[in-house]
């Protein structure tokens, strides 16, 4: 048995078993990523789809996903590879790619506008070793690396990958401890710490998905945007915020889609504190 130190859960994993995320295991008494290089999804996407509005706009990026996640968002749009029963079946189906293979594919796609790699779709940080090894080779090949993450990871993990990551989109799913704990089975403080440290190492944009009757109040958005603004002042950087519309999915189909006017109202509230605020999914 060994203890995983990727996130706040500190899973105690028996030999041959997996942790809460479904992707980290114990081999010979050491915690390793069972999903290393095992991809369930690979696609050439517009950079704006990550979403990144202020990082190489108009470009394409080769996007990679594996399986597993360390949160339990009931509204997950990628539940088929994150934490549903179907996701865990991918353990035997995901195809293995070595870091050098991925970098070769990405490099060959440069004529189609590809600028590099995006680690996305499931939660990439639960397999941070693959990010580190692949992104390092990608940087050496002169390409950009993007991370799309829920930010639920230790600063030790961030420090492992940050030398090779050029931009991140990090979910700031709400601005209350209770929502993170009760709705997502997550850790609000860990996410805030991760965001604060990440903004000192690369370009960062944040995304908040607005769910009706959960995190759609003006008061919460005012608090969230004020916190982001103080990060900007501290680091002398402008941090874009994406405020996006929820659509019913997965385990949260009893809600209506977020009204467009709610999104636009919260965009205006956030602009009281932030210069760059973008509505999404409208």
């Amino acid at each position: 048995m060994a203890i995983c130190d990727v996130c706040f859960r500190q899973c105690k994993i028996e030999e041959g078993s997996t942790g809460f995320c479904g992707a980290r295991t114990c081999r010979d008494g050491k915690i390793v990523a069972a999903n290393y290089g095992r991809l369930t999804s690979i696609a050439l996407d517009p950079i704006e789809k990550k979403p990144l509005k202020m990082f190489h706009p108009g470009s394409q990026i080769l996007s990679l996903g594996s399986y597993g996640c360390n949160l339990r968002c009931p509204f997950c749009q990628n539940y088929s590879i994150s934490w549903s029963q179907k996701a865990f079946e991918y353990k035997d189906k995901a195809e293995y790619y070595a870091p050098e293979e991925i970098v070769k594919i990405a490099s060959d796609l440069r004529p189609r506008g590809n600028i590099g790699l995006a680690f996305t779709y499931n939660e990439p940080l639960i397999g941070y070793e693959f990010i580190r090894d692949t992104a390092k080779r990608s940087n050496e090949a002169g390409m950009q690396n993007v991370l799309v993450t829920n930010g639920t990871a230790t600063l030790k993990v961030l420090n492992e990958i940050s030398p090779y990551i050029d931009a991140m989109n990090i979910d700031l799913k709400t601005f209350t401890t209770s929502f993170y704990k009760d709705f997502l089975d997550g850790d609000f403080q860990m996410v805030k710490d991760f965001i604060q440290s990440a903004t000192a190492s690369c370009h960062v944009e944040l995304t908040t998905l607005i769910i009706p009757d959960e995190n759609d109040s003006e008061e919460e958005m005012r608090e969230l945007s004020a916190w982001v603004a103080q990060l900007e002042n501290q680091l002398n950087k402008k941090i874009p915020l994406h405020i996006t519309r929820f659509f019913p999915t997965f385990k949260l189909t009893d809600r209506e889609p977020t009204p467009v006017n709610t999104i636009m109202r919260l965009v205006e509230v956030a602009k009281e504190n932030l210069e760059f605020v973008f509505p999404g999914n409208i």
Side-chain angles (χ1 to χ4, degrees):
M1 185 189 76
I3 298 175
C4 179
D5 61 359
V6 163
C7 73
F8 71 96
R9 298 189 188 281
Q10 299 287 294
C11 291
K12 297 178 181 178
I13 306 176
E14 299 286 346
E15 186 74 19
S17 297
T18 54
F20 181 90
C21 66
R24 298 191 69 77
T25 189
C26 182
R27 291 179 186 161
D28 300 323
K30 294 181 179 181
I31 302 297
V32 298
N35 68 345
Y36 185 100
R38 300 180 66 83
L39 302 184
T40 60
S41 310
I42 182 167
L44 188 63
D45 288 334
I47 194 78
E48 289 82 4
K49 191 176 177 180
K50 298 306 100 188
L52 289 170
K53 278 280 194 177
M54 301 180 69
F55 183 79
H56 295 274
S59 62
Q60 302 286 309
I61 195 158
L62 185 64
S63 302
L64 318 172
S66 184
Y67 62 82
C69 188
N70 56 357
L71 290 185
R72 291 295 180 262
C73 305
F75 48 82
C76 180
Q77 295 187 357
N78 290 325
Y79 62 89
S80 64
I81 59 172
S82 61
W83 68 275
S84 64
Q85 182 58 43
K86 184 177 180 181
F88 298 131
E89 293 172 359
Y90 270 113
K91 293 179 182 181
D92 299 322
K93 298 177 182 179
E95 188 173 351
Y96 176 77
Y97 290 83
E100 53 269 25
E101 290 181 88
I102 290 298
V103 172
K104 174 66 164 56
I105 294 170
S107 184
D108 289 347
L109 287 169
R110 279 170 159 166
R112 293 177 58 184
N114 182 44
I115 63 168
L117 297 172
F119 303 91
T120 180
Y121 299 139
N122 71 312
E123 175 46 52
L125 289 178
I126 59 175
Y128 74 91
E129 297 93 338
F130 181 71
I131 298 174
R132 178 196 63 205
D133 298 346
T134 309
K136 183 176 186 295
R137 287 173 169 82
S138 174
N139 273 174
E140 291 169 350
M143 292 186 290
Q144 303 289 315
N145 295 307
V146 167
L147 177 69
V148 182
T149 176
N150 62 32
T152 304
T154 62
L155 299 187
K156 175 184 174 182
V157 169
L158 177 60
N159 290 338
E160 284 276 336
I161 65 169
S162 61
Y164 317 112
I165 299 299
D166 301 287
M168 296 187 196
N169 184 288
I170 307 172
D171 286 336
L172 181 55
K173 295 178 184 288
T174 182
F175 208 68
T176 65
T177 299
S178 59
F179 185 102
Y180 262 95
K181 181 179 180 181
D182 300 334
F183 209 62
L184 314 177
D185 199 2
D187 187 297
F188 182 34
Q189 188 60 51
M190 174 166 273
V191 174
K192 288 196 294 182
D193 291 345
F194 187 95
I195 290 171
Q196 183 160 351
S197 294
T199 53
S201 67
C202 68
H203 175 83
V204 170
E205 301 189 19
L206 303 177
T207 296
T208 301
L209 179 73
I210 301 301
I211 302 172
D213 302 321
E214 294 293 345
N215 64 341
D216 59 349
S217 73
E218 291 188 12
E219 180 183 7
E220 182 174 333
M221 181 53 65
R222 199 164 276 115
E223 291 179 2
L224 185 154
S225 58
W227 181 78
V228 176
Q230 63 86 24
L231 287 179
E232 290 186 347
N233 294 333
Q234 177 182 337
L235 299 164
N236 197 29
K237 294 180 180 179
K238 298 295 184 181
I239 302 173
L241 174 65
H242 301 258
I243 300 176
T244 60
R245 190 182 182 205
F246 160 84
F247 288 93
T249 188
F250 194 29
K251 295 180 180 293
L252 205 64
T253 56
D254 60 340
R255 312 290 175 95
E256 294 295 318
T258 312
V260 172
N261 63 354
T262 297
I263 298 298
M264 301 312 297
R265 173 173 52 85
L266 294 178
V267 166
E268 292 306 310
V269 169
K271 283 183 176 179
E272 295 172 9
N273 294 307
L274 301 172
E275 183 173 350
F276 302 113
V277 186
F278 304 105
N281 292 345
I282 61 172

